[in-house]
């Protein structure tokens, strides 16, 4: 019985990971469909909370979410299995590509496609930045906008180590939460 | 010890890329292009393009790619493990706190504090990629008129389509690749 659950967990995450292009949030609705609607292993509210944890933790959201689902369904062993299921498809695909990378890159057609696609990636990233930036400016609070501007200057022009910037901003976020909490104001 | 270096670099990438997907990009650039001489900027642009075209998280894709380039298949496995180990530890810890207290306010507060910085970093890495796409170099050349016009057009159309109709990025990538090939042949 337990073995059956492990196999199901592995196959489900493997499939989801193999079909999730672009990474990130795309996998959350897919997981919801699979584990909440189809298999009934997780309740809907719980899935939303798990999503919040996956987003609040470092690393890829897809990996984090699969750890949580595996852990929830079958403990530590379950988490190991779902991580494996999530990581294997990209590991295999990228390995195959990188073995042919040299030939791949020297191929004229591929080169043309890659040049075009680089402009496409640039557009996708600008779109992501616009979307994320908008949600920060919409809050109409001075602090996040000041942090955004200062971080940009620090990373772009002063070449300050980004890990240091993240740590400083984490402290600012914690202090802000305490301050807002004391004021009894609403959360961010 | 190349394996140890790989592991440590991707451990840091995994630990500090907070905020999903593209948040890992500036960290990867800093670790594998600036700090270690593992990839050139143009290889980095390639792997970002490949990562966007293939399934899976950007960080895992890059870990595999860089690992193989630097130390073969074992390198790929080690880099990928390094990249997901922080997730495993932090996610499990947070999950157990969550199941005990059902309270994540502080975590969310810290996250809200980091998010603007993440946007700034992605923006900065994005500007570098736009420069790569338009000029083939990571810094602007002296002569700004040597711009790749086709890339500018692909970028502009792609950006417009994404903003206006919120299409799936994979279609923008496919379209961009097709236009690149067409232009090369014609």
């Amino acid at each position: 019985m337990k073995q059956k659950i492990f196999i199901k967990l592995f196959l489900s995450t493997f499939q989801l990971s193999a079909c999730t292009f672009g990474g990130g949030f795309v996998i959350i609705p897919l997981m919801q469909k699979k584990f909440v609607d189809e298999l009934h292993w997780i309740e809907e509210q719980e899935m939303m909370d798990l999503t919040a944890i996956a987003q609040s933790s470092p690393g890829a959201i897809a990996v984090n979410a699969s750890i949580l689902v595996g852990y929830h369904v079958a403990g530590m062993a379950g988490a190991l299995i779902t991580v494996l299921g999530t990581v294997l498809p990209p590991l295999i695909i990228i390995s195959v590509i990188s073995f042919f990378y040299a030939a791949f890159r020297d191929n004229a057609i591929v080169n043309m496609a890659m040049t075009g696609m680089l402009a496409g990636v640039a557009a996708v990233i600008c779109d992501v930045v616009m979307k994320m930036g908008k949600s920060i400016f919409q809050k109409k609070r001075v602090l996040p906008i000041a942090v955004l501007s200062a971080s940009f200057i620090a990373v772009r022009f002063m070449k300050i180590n980004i890990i240091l910037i993240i740590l400083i901003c984490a402290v600012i976020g914690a202090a802000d939460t305490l301050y807002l909490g004391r004021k009894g104001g609403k959360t961010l | 010890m190349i394996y140890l270096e790989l592991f440590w670099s991707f451990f840091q990438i995994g630990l500090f890329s907070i905020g999903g997907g593209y948040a890992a990009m500036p960290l990867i650039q800093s670790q594998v292009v600036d700090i270690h001489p593992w990839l050139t900027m143009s290889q980095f642009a390639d792997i970002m393009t490949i990562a966007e075209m293939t399934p899976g998280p950007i960080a895992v894709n890059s870990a595999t790619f860089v690992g193989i380039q630097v130390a073969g298949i074992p390198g790929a496995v080690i880099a990928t493990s390094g990249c997901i180990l922080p997730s495993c530890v932090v996610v499990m810890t947070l999950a157990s706190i969550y199941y005990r207290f059902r309270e994540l306010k502080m975590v969310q507060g810290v996250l809200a504090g980091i998010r603007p910085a993440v946007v700034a970093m992605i923006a900065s890495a994005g500007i570098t990629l736009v420069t790569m796409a338009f000029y083939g170099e990571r810094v602007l050349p002296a002569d700004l008129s040597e711009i790749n016009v086709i890339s500018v057009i692909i970028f502009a159309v792609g950006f417009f389509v994404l903003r206006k109709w919120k299409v799936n990025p994979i279609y923008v990538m496919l379209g961009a690749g097709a236009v690149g090939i067409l232009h090369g042949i014609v």
Side-chain angles (χ1 to χ4, degrees), chain B residues 9-84:
Chain B
S9 279
F10 278 93
F11 185 86
Q12 290 178 72
I13 291 169
L15 184 60
F16 290 102
S17 59
I18 303 171
Y22 297 94
M25 189 177 65
L27 280 151
I28 298 167
Q29 187 193 327
S30 128
Q31 284 291 334
V32 309
V33 182
D34 301 335
I35 297 177
H36 299 283
W38 290 334
L39 296 188
T40 64
M41 189 59 205
S42 127
Q43 284 176 312
F44 174 77
D46 281 349
I47 180 60
M48 286 302 124
T49 310
I50 293 171
E52 188 71 36
M53 279 303 293
T54 50
I58 290 179
V60 174
N61 288 342
S62 336
T64 306
F65 185 84
V66 175
I68 287 190
Q69 298 296 315
V70 175
I73 291 277
V77 173
I78 285 169
T80 305
S81 319
C83 168
I84 57 174

Side-chain angles (χ1 to χ4, degrees), chain A residues 35-170:
Chain A
F35 295 108
V36 180
D37 302 341
E38 203 181 306
L39 296 171
H40 303 288
W41 282 353
I42 301 171
E43 281 168 45
E44 186 156 358
Q45 180 58 43
E46 202 143 31
M47 190 67 207
M48 283 164 76
D49 290 339
L50 295 186
T51 307
I53 298 175
Q55 281 175 265
S56 321
S57 308
I61 291 179
V63 174
N64 296 349
S66 65
I67 293 173
L68 287 164
V69 168
Y71 186 68
H72 181 84
V73 174
M76 277 285 205
L80 272 178
I81 283 174
T82 48
V83 164
L84 212 62
T86 305
V87 169
L88 273 182
L91 196 77
I92 294 168
I93 293 168
I94 298 289
S95 298
V96 172
I97 291 179
S98 44
F99 274 115
F100 298 107
Y101 176 66
F104 192 65
R105 202 54 179 106
D106 292 337
N107 182 298
I109 302 274
V110 172
N111 213 332
M112 293 166 198
M114 292 284 279
T115 308
M117 283 195 292
L118 179 57
V121 175
V124 170
I125 289 166
C126 287
D127 179 52
V128 170
V129 170
M130 293 286 282
K131 248 183 245 162
M132 292 176 84
K134 200 173 149 200
S135 74
I136 283 166
F137 280 95
Q138 264 171 353
K139 281 182 206 147
K140 296 205 166 66
R141 283 190 69 209
V142 179
L143 184 70
I145 295 170
V147 169
L148 194 152
S149 320
S151 310
F152 186 78
I153 293 167
V155 72
R156 186 87 202 149
F157 301 110
M158 295 159 70
K159 314 253 179 250
I160 291 175
N161 189 319
I162 40 190
I163 292 175
L164 184 69
I165 299 174
I166 290 174
L167 289 174
I168 292 172
C169 293

Side-chain angles (χ1 to χ4, degrees), chain B residues 18-150:
Chain B
I18 303 171
Y22 297 94
M25 189 177 65
L27 280 151
I28 298 167
Q29 187 193 327
S30 128
Q31 284 291 334
V32 309
V33 182
D34 301 335
I35 297 177
H36 299 283
W38 290 334
L39 296 188
T40 64
M41 189 59 205
S42 127
Q43 284 176 312
F44 174 77
D46 281 349
I47 180 60
M48 286 302 124
T49 310
I50 293 171
E52 188 71 36
M53 279 303 293
T54 50
I58 290 179
V60 174
N61 288 342
S62 336
T64 306
F65 185 84
V66 175
I68 287 190
Q69 298 296 315
V70 175
I73 291 277
V77 173
I78 285 169
T80 305
S81 319
C83 168
I84 57 174
L85 187 63
S87 291
C88 294
V89 176
V90 177
V91 165
M92 298 270 200
T93 312
L94 280 182
S96 68
I97 294 175
Y98 163 74
Y99 281 119
R100 206 168 304 161
F101 304 109
R102 301 256 161 185
E103 170 75 76
L104 290 168
K105 209 174 194 173
M106 196 62 195
V107 176
Q108 281 166 348
V110 170
L111 188 70
I114 295 174
R115 203 171 291 132
V118 170
V119 178
M121 288 166 191
I122 300 175
S124 174
I127 292 171
T128 309
L129 278 189
V130 171
T131 316
M132 284 292 297
F134 289 0
Y135 293 102
E137 308 270 341
R138 67 183 295 184
V139 283
L140 289 173
D143 184 9
L144 286 180
S145 62
E146 287 170 10
I147 196 162
N148 183 337
V149 181
I150 297 299

